[in-house]
Structures are given as structure tokens and as C-alpha cells.
Amino acid sequence: MSAKSEGYIVKEFSHPEGYPVVIFLDAFQDQNHLFQYFELHRMIQAAGSISQGLIREECGHYLVWFDEAGATERCSVKAETDLYTALLKMVRIQPHNTRINGRERYEMLYGNASFIRFLTIDMAGVISRDDEVVCRLSDEEEESGISHI
């Protein structure tokens, strides 16, 4: 009962519902591989394109990446302004040579957050949906490869 209004107050202590889609940007790069900025750009561009499609479908989602030290960045995206904020952060991603299982790490950190789809985009231009490769981006086919995901 509230002392001010002499009425009952309902407090909700449930867990917030997560978004149904997680897009993981995997910045792993073998130390023997010569780093190419276009690979990083292609990964960010693919994440942005998929994110825009989800926004058009009114599907909230997370953009997630880890750095070599293991720090996590998770951006909640529901609207284009959220995507622009995330893109400003994504341009600071640095490739690293520590292999991270994105899905396992995400579930460990956000175990109570439910999701339906886990997409992974890596530096080689491979897009996986729930650990199954669905697309390999080439320089010429970036847009057409993303449209069916």
C-alpha cells in the first residue's frame, strides 16, 4: 500500500524479455593473415544491412562483438537511430587473433536473455545462422548475398 495515495502499488520483478535476434561480429583474424581493412568494412557493412532489414520488419535485435581482451559490446537496436549509434561504435572494432565462440560466450554473459536466431558475421565474409553457414560474401555479391538471410 502506498502512503501517499492510500492505494496498492504493483511492482514487477520479472526479467526483461530479450530481442529475438543476435548479430555477432566476429573480428577474429589468424595472425598469419595479412589484415585488410576491406574485410573489416565488409563485416560492418553486412551487419548494418541485416540490421536495417530487421528494423524495417520491426524486429528488435542486438549487435554484439568482443575485443581481444574479452570486453563485450552489446548494442540494442530497434530503430535507425540505434543502428547509427552502433555503427559509430563498430568502426572502432579491431581485429584480434583470439578465437572466441560467440554464441557460447553470449549465452554465458546473458544467459537469461532469450533469442531465436544467432547470426555470426566474420572477417572472411561468412554469415552463419545458428552455426550453419548461409552465405559467403564476395566483393561483387555483398548485397545479393545478404538479401536472403
Side-chain angles (χ1 to χ4, degrees):
M1 182 171 255
S2 170
K4 287 185 179 180
S5 66
E6 296 184 13
Y8 289 101
I9 296 175
V10 176
K11 291 187 177 183
E12 186 175 335
F13 292 100
S14 65
H15 293 289
E17 235 180 84
Y19 291 132
V21 178
V22 175
I23 302 171
F24 171 60
L25 288 84
D26 185 0
F28 169 77
Q29 191 163 54
D30 189 302
Q31 62 190 27
N32 297 324
H33 180 76
L34 179 62
F35 171 64
Q36 303 286 327
Y37 278 101
F38 83 88
E39 294 170 336
L40 183 60
H41 174 76
R42 175 178 56 198
M43 179 179 71
I44 292 170
Q45 186 176 23
S49 294
I50 294 169
S51 186
Q52 282 181 325
L54 292 170
I55 290 167
R56 278 193 297 274
E57 296 297 319
E58 298 180 0
C59 178
H61 55 284
Y62 294 111
L63 290 164
V64 179
W65 60 92
F66 305 110
D67 65 17
E68 190 165 11
T72 305
E73 185 72 48
R74 181 171 88 155
C75 298
S76 170
V77 180
K78 287 173 64 174
E80 281 193 11
T81 54
D82 301 328
L83 175 57
Y84 297 142
T85 301
L87 287 169
L88 288 173
K89 293 178 181 181
M90 284 192 278
V91 296
R92 290 180 267 163
I93 294 174
Q94 293 295 313
H96 54 80
N97 60 7
T98 304
R99 189 169 296 279
I100 298 169
N101 182 317
R103 185 181 188 127
E104 282 180 13
R105 182 72 178 271
Y106 185 86
E107 288 174 343
M108 183 180 75
L109 292 170
Y110 306 103
N112 63 346
S114 62
F115 59 87
I116 297 169
R117 288 283 181 241
F118 193 91
L119 300 176
T120 302
I121 306 168
D122 69 17
M123 294 282 287
V126 175
I127 301 176
S128 302
R129 180 179 53 222
D130 301 323
D131 298 325
E132 179 184 332
V133 173
V134 293
C135 177
R136 294 182 194 278
L137 300 176
S138 68
D139 297 334
E140 304 86 37
E141 300 173 335
E142 286 183 27
E143 291 304 317
S144 65
I146 293 172
S147 64
H148 73 278
I149 297 173

